[in-house]
Amino acid sequence: MNVGQILKDKGRRVVVNEAAATIDEIVKELAEKKIGAVVIVDEVGKVAGIVSERDVMRSLAQNGASTLAQSAASIMTRDVVTCREGDSVNRIMEAMTAGRFRHVPVVGDDLRLTGIVSIGDVVKNHIAEGELEASALKSYVAG
C-alpha cells in the first residue's frame, strides 16, 4: 500500500500555520484539534517546517514560559522529512522509526503540501493489511 491510499481513506486535511505564529497560538491549535504537530507553510503552500509537541516541550525545558511568546520559526524543525503519495507505507514507517518522528507531510510534484501521515495512520494501515492477509489465508485453507 502507498501513502496516497492512506490519504484517500483518512482525508487530506492538515492543520497549518505560518512561521510568524506564536508558540502560544500553535499550542492552542494542538490542544483544540487534538493533534501532535502543525505544519508551517510559506506563502505558496510549501513546507517550511513543522512544530510538534516534542519541539514545544524541548523549548519549554530550555527557555521556560517565554517559549509561548516566541515565533514558530524559532523552534520549528526546518529540515522536514516529507513524502510523496506514491511512496510505500513501509518506506514511511522506516523513516519514522529511524528519525524518531511521528508525522510526515505529503507533498506534490510542486512541493506544495497535499496531506500528512502520522504514525497512527501507518500503524492502522499495517494492522488492516495484516488482518486482510490473515482473512485471505483462512479462506484459502477453509475453502
Side-chain angles (χ1 to χ4, degrees), residues 2-143:
N2 65 24
V3 171
Q5 187 60 49
I6 290 178
L7 292 180
K8 184 189 250 185
D9 293 343
K10 77 169 232 164
R12 296 177 177 279
R13 190 172 184 304
V14 183
V15 176
V16 300
N17 213 318
E18 57 189 29
T22 65
I23 298 307
D24 185 56
E25 293 169 327
I26 300 287
V27 166
K28 286 176 180 168
E29 283 183 308
L30 293 172
E32 180 184 305
K33 301 210 172 30
K34 298 179 181 167
I35 55 174
V38 171
V39 179
I40 306 302
V41 294
D42 65 15
E43 58 281 345
V44 295
K46 293 182 181 178
V47 176
I50 191 166
V51 177
S52 70
E53 296 165 319
R54 192 176 293 168
D55 295 323
V56 173
M57 294 305 293
R58 242 185 243 120
S59 186
L60 282 168
Q62 292 173 351
N63 306 313
S66 67
T67 290
L68 297 175
Q70 292 178 318
S71 69
S74 68
I75 74 163
M76 71 184 184
T77 300
R78 293 177 186 276
D79 194 17
V80 181
V81 173
T82 61
C83 67
R84 306 288 179 111
E85 291 189 34
D87 288 343
S88 74
V89 173
N90 285 339
R91 177 191 143 345
I92 302 310
M93 211 170 7
E94 289 170 8
M96 288 176 159
T97 301
R100 299 182 52 95
F101 50 83
R102 300 175 304 182
H103 300 88
V104 179
V106 183
V107 296
D109 291 337
D110 60 0
L111 300 180
R112 290 187 179 166
L113 185 66
T114 63
I116 192 165
V117 177
S118 72
I119 191 67
D121 300 328
V122 171
V123 169
K124 181 179 176 183
N125 172 266
H126 194 66
I127 289 169
E129 281 187 341
E131 289 173 351
L132 183 62
E133 187 176 316
S135 177
L137 287 171
K138 285 178 186 175
S139 294
Y140 178 76
V141 170

